[in-house]
Amino acid sequence: MMSKSKSKKKRTKIKIDYSICGEEGKIDPRDCSLCMRSCDPAVFVMHPTLGTEEKQEDPYDPQDWRITPIWGSLCTRCFKCIEACPEKAITISW
Amino acid sequence: MREYLTEQWMNFEQIYIRKIAGFSSKDLGYKLKMPIIGRILRWSAESMIHNDSKNRNAKNADGHFGQVIPLEDAQLIMSELAAEPIICNYCMCRWMQRKKKEAVCINFGVLSEVIEKLPRFIPKDRTYKIDRETAMEKLEEFNKKGYISSVWFQPVPYINAICSCESPECGGFTLRNNFDLDVMYKAEYIIQLDQDNCQGCKQCVATCQLSAIRFIPSMNRVIIDYDKCFGCGVCRHACQHDALKLIPREDFPGFDGTY
């Protein structure tokens, strides 16, 4: 049985505004990715956008990328990613 | 096999994002803590990682897990067992988690031919096809730099990669250390400290990726957290006083069989 953590720490919700950063926005995460580099526990993952596999011209070299905060439970709430983001696209709440 | 690996590697970065049986790995830490669903999730993830049946799903990276190996074993595999062609390509974990392109992954056999076709993993400015001797030299170079050698099934029982990992970028270490999923197994060895030889120079502390070594001021020597030690042997390169030695895990009472 998994033990419940004693401090009732609430779930950290990290959100990235994909209208700014990602395949639709003006920033290609492959050019920036400052949030990924600033994060100590490596919460973020950069990946080809889901569902665009058919649209890609060359499936071996996908061009649509976005960043997803994947390991939210490891977030230490240091806000380094918010400071690092040049377009203020990241919000953290809990 | 070739089709399986091609499908797996074409969009490997999506592995955490893609929904598998209704669940993606997003916020996995929270999901695993849910009372009943968490347990089912853990069971299904474990069986996916160790899936050795014929009806595997390439997009789930079924049967993909690895084990830490010390430098000597990695070089043995490279010199005698690895199938040609051998390539040295960019580490995918570091690319997807840090946007770092570091050519530290050594792949061999069919997987090399698959990865060759994926431009984002192939270094353009240098030769990526290497021979056995170069591969062995590279392994030593990475190990001394502080990277942990690990050997990978993809899919089990095919072994076709030796990575040089670091924590927390490596997917294997992340899943193992944070969520206790057996993606990465500990080595067949464990580190042993010769307390008389240790001079308290603390050099080894900085090299341990798993923070298994700690310096104790009052004793002026380091202590080892054997629960955290994966037996990679990277700390040995930092020790000037011959105080750190790898011994077989099975010879270490209390830690035999703890992989």
Side-chain angles (χ1 to χ4, degrees), chain A residues 60, chain B residues 1-10 58 84-85 108-118 154-155 158 160:
Chain A
Y60 289 97
Chain B
M1 177 71 170
R2 190 182 301 268
E3 292 79 51
Y4 181 93
L5 285 171
T6 308
E7 199 182 344
Q8 185 181 66
W9 274 82
M10 243 154 64
E84 304 266 0
F108 39 89
V110 187
L111 186 60
S112 308
E113 296 163 24
V114 170
I115 293 182
E116 262 181 294
K117 300 199 180 84
L118 303 166
Q154 45 183 320
Y158 304 105
N160 41 24

Side-chain angles (χ1 to χ4, degrees), chain A residues 5-46:
Chain A
S5 62
K6 275 176 189 162
S7 62
K8 282 188 180 170
K9 205 176 170 191
K10 279 188 181 162
R11 202 183 251 245
T12 313
K13 291 174 197 129
I14 310 164
K15 277 213 175 81
I16 296 179
D17 188 344
Y18 293 118
S19 64
I20 299 170
C21 174
E23 72 287 350
E24 313 245 293
K26 57 177 175 175
I27 294 183
D28 186 340
R30 288 176 295 171
D31 297 335
C32 173
S33 65
L34 291 169
C35 50
M36 290 162 62
R37 283 163 182 251
S38 67
C39 184
D40 279 358
V43 167
F44 299 92
V45 164
M46 184 166 62

Side-chain angles (χ1 to χ4, degrees), chain B residues 54-68:
Chain B
K54 285 224 167 71
N55 53 353
R56 276 187 282 242
N57 186 342
K59 290 198 165 168
N60 297 358
D62 283 4
H64 182 41
F65 59 96
Q67 186 182 23
V68 171

